[in-house]
Amino acid sequence: MNDTRRAVLAAIADGPVSGPDLAAQLDVSRTAVWKHVEALKEAGFSIKSDDEGYELTDVPEYGGLAVEYELEAPYELEYHERIDSTNTLARERAGDGATDLVVLADEQTGGRGRLEREWAAPSGGIYASILTRPPLPPARVPLLTLAAAVAVADAAREAGVDATIKWPNDIEVDGRKLCGILTEMEGEADRVEWVVVGIGINANVDADSLPAGATSLREHVGDVDRRLFTQRVLERYHDLAGDPDAILPAWREKAVTLGQRVRVTTPDRQVVGTAIDIEPPGQLVIDTDGGVERVHAGDCEHLRPVGE
Ligand code: BT5
């Protein structure tokens, strides 16, 4: 949202302000004020205008400007009702030089998981791709995936859902998948050019429109306010991304994987044992019959404990 539009919103949120006062306050013409007000109305903001001036009476339920409104993180939002994949568009924007941009959609027709798997993304979910240019070497980028997982788990818990994190990138409720994260990047060996962290949350969707083994926020607590939920996720993610030392402790607190018997499948091997820790930048430490092993990425299954 442009700065003047943001300032118009902030000013009229606290009661009626006359057009001339607003123009003087923001140092723009009255016509400019009027144009901003019209654009905001177009985006779904309810603005009362009478003799006393303009007053914000309601905020749109969802959308780019709605999420940007009072967002305490420095992201610009680009919203689409329907798009193939928010990650794909965010990558394109990265190629054009953008940064601190979140591509958000109500529905995706070609949502992607890891390794070109499909991600079901019906209308009503939260599909967000955060594009940034962090001053990190590529090897540290997995930390950002963990930060996003913590952010979603925290927002879900705030909404009353008992969400846990399964290494490396799933948020689950009672063993069913609520959210997945796909992190993509471009860069050189010692410096990242850009990173896109794509977050897919089954929010206000029926579980029967999702693959087996999936669950949604709706199933547990009914429909959530997607605007506030998305804001909480973006704000928490931004805070953690700026404080990398806080990521692993926060992740450990919510992880179900630690202490479990696991089977991790990577493209070239399988590792079976007890997950005992996570180490920077996100590798799982597994105690196996043959000693301690570390895996950076892979699909993780939680196994029943031996002897059960
Ligand atoms: C993931 O992959 O979990 C990453 C998903 C990332 C999706 C977001 S949405 C916004 C952004 N734009 C994109 O195009 N993608 C990102 P992975 O760990 O590979 O898991 C994929 C597997 O999860 C699939 O093979 C299915 O078994 C399952 N799955 C597919 N859709 C699901 C859903 N909506 N909920 C739960 N599980 C699902």
Side-chain angles (χ1 to χ4, degrees):
M1 188 175 346
N2 93 20
D3 288 345
T4 312
R5 197 156 298 171
R6 198 188 304 269
V8 168
L9 266 180
I12 65 177
D14 297 329
V17 191
S18 74
D21 282 355
L22 209 47
Q25 210 175 308
L26 305 177
D27 198 20
V28 296
S29 69
R30 288 179 62 180
T31 319
V33 166
W34 181 81
K35 281 189 185 155
H36 284 300
V37 167
E38 287 308 303
L40 288 165
K41 283 184 180 167
E42 188 102 335
F45 288 86
S46 301
I47 297 170
K48 194 172 93 184
S49 46
D50 56 21
D51 294 348
E52 286 184 89
Y54 298 112
E55 183 175 6
L56 178 66
T57 54
D58 209 358
V59 176
E61 216 179 294
Y62 200 47
L65 290 182
V67 173
E68 261 188 54
Y69 176 63
E70 293 189 326
L71 174 68
E72 288 176 21
Y75 302 129
E76 212 173 292
L77 272 285
E78 173 175 342
Y79 178 74
H80 296 266
E81 296 222 320
R82 202 158 191 260
I83 195 177
D84 60 343
S85 154
T86 54
N87 260 43
T88 304
L89 185 59
R91 292 179 65 131
E92 265 175 55
R93 297 286 182 257
D96 297 339
T99 189
D100 294 331
L101 175 74
V102 177
V103 179
L104 186 70
D106 173 55
E107 180 182 358
Q108 292 180 124
T109 52
R112 295 189 281 115
R114 292 177 301 154
L115 306 170
E116 298 307 319
R117 290 190 279 234
E118 276 179 33
W119 182 257
S123 168
I126 295 172
Y127 313 110
S129 298
I130 309 169
L131 163 63
T132 56
R133 296 175 187 271
L136 287 178
R140 304 255 301 158
V141 165
L143 270 177
L144 298 180
T145 305
L146 304 185
V150 170
V152 175
D154 280 347
R157 287 178 179 200
E158 210 179 294
V161 176
D162 188 17
T164 50
I165 305 172
K166 180 176 148 209
W167 184 88
N169 68 333
D170 292 355
I171 288 83
E172 295 186 340
V173 189
D174 297 333
R176 289 159 73 210
K177 187 159 168 172
L178 177 73
C179 165
I181 298 161
L182 172 66
T183 300
E184 299 181 293
M185 66 171 163
E186 199 166 279
E188 292 164 20
D190 49 5
R191 210 196 58 148
V192 159
E193 182 78 28
W194 52 258
V195 178
V196 169
V197 176
I199 304 173
I201 307 167
N202 302 322
N204 303 338
V205 297
D206 289 332
D208 60 16
S209 60
L210 300 170
T215 189
S216 65
L217 294 172
R218 174 182 278 173
E219 257 205 318
H220 295 274
V221 288
D223 284 1
V224 296
D225 182 329
R226 282 189 295 168
R227 180 175 80 88
L228 293 181
F229 198 98
T230 307
Q231 288 180 331
R232 290 295 88 78
V233 170
L234 296 178
E235 288 163 356
R236 181 81 169 117
Y237 174 80
H238 174 69
D239 286 348
L240 287 168
D243 183 12
D245 290 345
I247 297 172
L248 287 187
W251 190 93
R252 281 193 192 98
E253 237 172 64
K254 291 163 195 72
V256 273
T257 304
L258 300 182
Q260 298 255 358
R261 271 191 69 75
V262 297
R263 179 190 297 126
V264 176
T265 307
T266 72
D268 57 353
R269 62 183 179 140
Q270 274 200 343
V271 182
V272 177
T274 304
I276 51 174
D277 199 9
I278 184 155
E279 285 178 352
Q283 59 187 0
L284 194 64
V285 185
I286 304 174
D287 188 9
T288 75
D289 288 345
V292 170
E293 296 209 31
R294 289 170 169 77
V295 274
H296 294 271
D299 286 311
C300 176
E301 269 173 89
H302 290 174
L303 306 174
R304 300 224 318 260
V306 181
E308 198 175 89

